[in-house]
Amino acid sequence: MERNDMKQDIVAEATAWLEQALAVLREEFPAHANPGQPCRIRWNALLCDADLVALTWPQALGGRGLPTSDLIAFHALCARFGAPQPINSIAHSILAPTLLQFGTDAQKAKFLPGIRAGTEIWCQGYSEPGSGSDLASVRTRAARTDGGWVVNGHKIWTTQAHLARWCFALVRTEAGSVGHRGLSFMLVDMRSPGVRVEPIRQLTGEADYNEVFFEDVRVPDGHIVGEVGDGWRIAMAAAEFERGIYFLPRVVQLEHELDRARTLLEQAQLDDADTGAYRHRLLEVSDSCQVIRWRVEQVVSQVAAGKTPGTDGAILKLLWSETRQKVIELQLDLLGERGMVGPDAAGAYCEDAAVVREFLWSRAETIVAGTSEIQRNIIAERILGLPKDKHANPS
Ligand SMILES: Cc1cc2nc3c(=O)[nH]c(=O)nc-3n(C[C@H](O)[C@H](O)[C@H](O)COP(=O)(O)OP(=O)(O)OC[C@H]3O[C@@H](n4cnc5c(N)ncnc54)[C@H](O)[C@@H]3O)c2cc1C
């Protein structure tokens, strides 16, 4: 594609491309088979080759200079087509917008090309044993040394750390500091001596998460985004990108999962009482999906106007994750014994039982990126103005 044509209608371009690219992908990875890491790695490469990442980055930095509304339209389209999540979506949707907003020119020049080309995968090193919801209590520390820092600590639940070349981590750069003061947003090379990654196996049998140990890991000076000690502000902005853009395709996907539940109900051979009970459940989740649709519009207009989603992101994340669990439970119940088959020896599920994997996966969705309880705290305190939880995060 000619770079001059970049401002063309992204929806038309992406629609044509997605049809043919997904056909290629499905040849290699059947749609119902586990949409696991190999499939997501391949999808990331296809997107990079087609110049369909970095849509909103400035052209001078290898992007296409399109408005955020085009990025959102593209994500919605991918979700409608049932495209998998590209393996580097943490970089595309969380780190890149953070670097574009807060990074130095040198950091943009160093880190953005690898994301754009698909050669460098990123992971997010925030959580630690004892520091999840209360993220400001992180204990991983970085001490000053000649030309940089020496990092020691233990991160956990680090998605894709085993694949990642880089990690954006929250670390304590001010000895003796507490809470959100004294933290920095640091970019760590996962190939550095002293980095050790141990996999964690999850309910689905896959191992997407890891523990990461930093033992005297050296990080050069230019690898802190923002000022030293300003990491909390940067991480919170990144978290808003996470809730606003990273989750968007999965939120749009919910509509299609609801359609599948509707179809299963139409096909099910049930007596009147059971049909009534299932219809009631379907109505409840349909109503929630309608509310989610309105909330998506709210968040999308905020992001398109150049703002972060703020508390709207918390509402959307809470509604989506809890409704999705209910939709998948409904599908599973309607499938009955057809849905009881586990994965084959290669870890792939047959078409009906693919919902089993989604069921197992969806358990994690009310935890990732802030638990439901934490989203409720945010809504209670920042939207409803209720008194602050004295035991919660000091942010
Ligand atoms: C699928 C998945 C992927 C993840 N990927 C990453 C990643 O890539 N990088 C990363 O850094 N982290 C990652 N995480 C970790 C995630 O951010 C944490 O699991 C999450 O923040 C919760 O922290 P915790 O597990 O320590 O639970 P805790 O904070 O210990 O919470 C335990 C329970 O107590 C409740 N609770 C805690 N505090 C309060 C409060 N103040 N009020 C009410 N209830 C409270 C919680 O809601 C929860 O039910 C991932 C998690 C999952 C599930």
Side-chain angles (χ1 to χ4, degrees):
M1 183 190 324
E2 293 296 321
R3 304 285 290 181
N4 289 344
D5 295 336
M6 278 178 183
K7 293 271 180 192
Q8 73 187 58
D9 180 358
I10 187 71
V11 172
E13 175 198 334
T15 303
W17 181 82
L18 279 167
E19 276 173 12
Q20 135 306 277
L22 280 167
V24 171
L25 192 77
R26 297 299 176 220
E27 288 267 300
E28 295 171 45
F29 305 92
H32 60 268
N34 169 358
Q37 287 170 4
C39 174
R40 295 180 51 213
I41 289 170
R42 179 85 173 104
W43 187 238
N44 196 67
L46 288 169
L47 286 167
C48 291
D49 290 350
D51 204 9
L52 284 168
V53 293
L55 298 182
T56 53
W57 301 7
Q59 294 195 16
L61 293 170
R64 295 181 58 167
L66 295 171
T68 310
S69 52
D70 279 355
L71 174 69
I72 290 162
F74 177 68
H75 279 316
L77 203 59
C78 287
R80 245 194 320 280
F81 274 82
Q85 206 187 17
I87 199 75
N88 216 11
S89 54
I90 288 175
H92 301 310
S93 302
I94 306 174
L95 193 263
T98 305
L99 272 185
L100 286 168
Q101 191 170 337
F102 301 103
T104 61
D105 288 345
Q107 287 168 343
K108 291 174 195 166
K110 178 165 183 177
F111 297 113
L112 292 176
I115 300 173
R116 164 65 193 80
T119 50
E120 293 184 352
I121 292 175
W122 284 76
C123 63
Q124 181 188 52
Y126 289 0
S127 306
E128 297 179 5
S131 300
S133 303
D134 181 13
L135 185 60
S137 67
V138 297
R139 279 173 297 174
T140 293
R141 61 200 185 282
R144 265 270 171 227
T145 186
D146 274 354
W149 302 87
V150 176
V151 182
N152 280 283
H154 178 184
K155 298 287 177 183
I156 194 166
W157 310 120
T158 322
T159 308
Q160 293 164 201
H162 58 300
L163 302 173
R165 168 67 205 272
W166 296 99
C167 174
F168 54 96
L170 202 55
V171 301
R172 198 161 288 288
T173 41
E174 190 185 316
S177 62
V178 288
H180 58 273
R181 293 183 188 81
L183 296 170
S184 296
F185 191 95
M186 189 174 268
L187 312 178
V188 183
D189 186 342
M190 294 293 280
R191 291 189 194 162
S192 309
V195 175
R196 187 159 54 87
V197 176
E198 301 280 353
I200 301 174
R201 199 155 295 281
Q202 68 235 36
L203 276 177
T204 58
E206 299 148 87
D208 289 318
Y209 322 115
N210 304 271
E211 287 184 80
V212 177
F213 299 87
F214 297 125
E215 286 155 9
D216 291 334
V217 175
R218 296 181 79 89
V219 174
D221 258 337
H223 283 205
I224 286 182
V225 180
E227 298 295 319
V228 172
D230 200 20
W232 185 255
R233 187 173 69 93
I234 313 283
M236 290 304 101
E240 294 198 0
F241 288 125
E242 183 169 9
R243 291 186 199 124
I245 298 178
Y246 179 73
F247 278 109
L248 202 58
R250 296 202 235 169
V251 172
V252 178
Q253 189 81 36
L254 183 58
E255 299 262 329
H256 304 282
E257 291 166 334
L258 181 64
D259 285 343
R260 168 105 169 108
R262 267 195 206 104
T263 307
L264 286 172
L265 182 53
E266 278 161 20
Q267 293 167 348
Q269 317 254 314
L270 301 166
D271 61 28
D272 285 351
D274 279 348
T275 304
Y278 277 117
R279 281 212 183 114
H280 183 81
R281 284 170 68 185
L282 190 63
L283 266 179
E284 191 193 332
V285 285
S286 301
D287 285 351
S288 300
C289 283
Q290 177 62 51
V291 177
I292 289 168
R293 207 173 304 132
W294 292 328
R295 281 285 151 195
V296 167
E297 283 165 22
Q298 189 97 7
V299 166
V300 161
S301 56
Q302 294 265 87
V303 176
K307 299 181 194 149
T308 52
T311 44
D312 283 318
I315 299 175
L316 185 58
K317 201 268 162 178
L318 175 68
L319 277 175
W320 163 74
S321 57
E322 296 198 346
T323 305
R324 182 164 196 265
Q325 287 182 347
K326 289 184 188 159
V327 170
I328 302 294
E329 280 163 19
L330 185 55
Q331 286 186 10
L332 199 58
D333 289 348
L334 284 164
L335 275 171
E337 58 193 32
R338 281 159 59 203
M340 291 175 73
V341 190
D344 64 19
Y349 290 84
C350 72
E351 190 163 1
D352 278 344
V355 70
V356 175
R357 179 186 183 273
E358 295 312 311
F359 170 78
L360 295 173
W361 238 111
S362 68
R363 303 295 95 194
E365 284 164 346
T366 45
I367 302 172
V368 63
T371 64
S372 285
E373 290 78 12
I374 294 302
Q375 306 311 316
R376 286 194 167 86
N377 282 352
I378 293 172
I379 293 164
E381 291 162 11
R382 297 197 211 156
I383 300 177
L384 302 176
L386 298 178
K388 198 166 163 57
D389 174 5
K390 290 191 187 66
H391 306 292
N393 208 323
S395 64

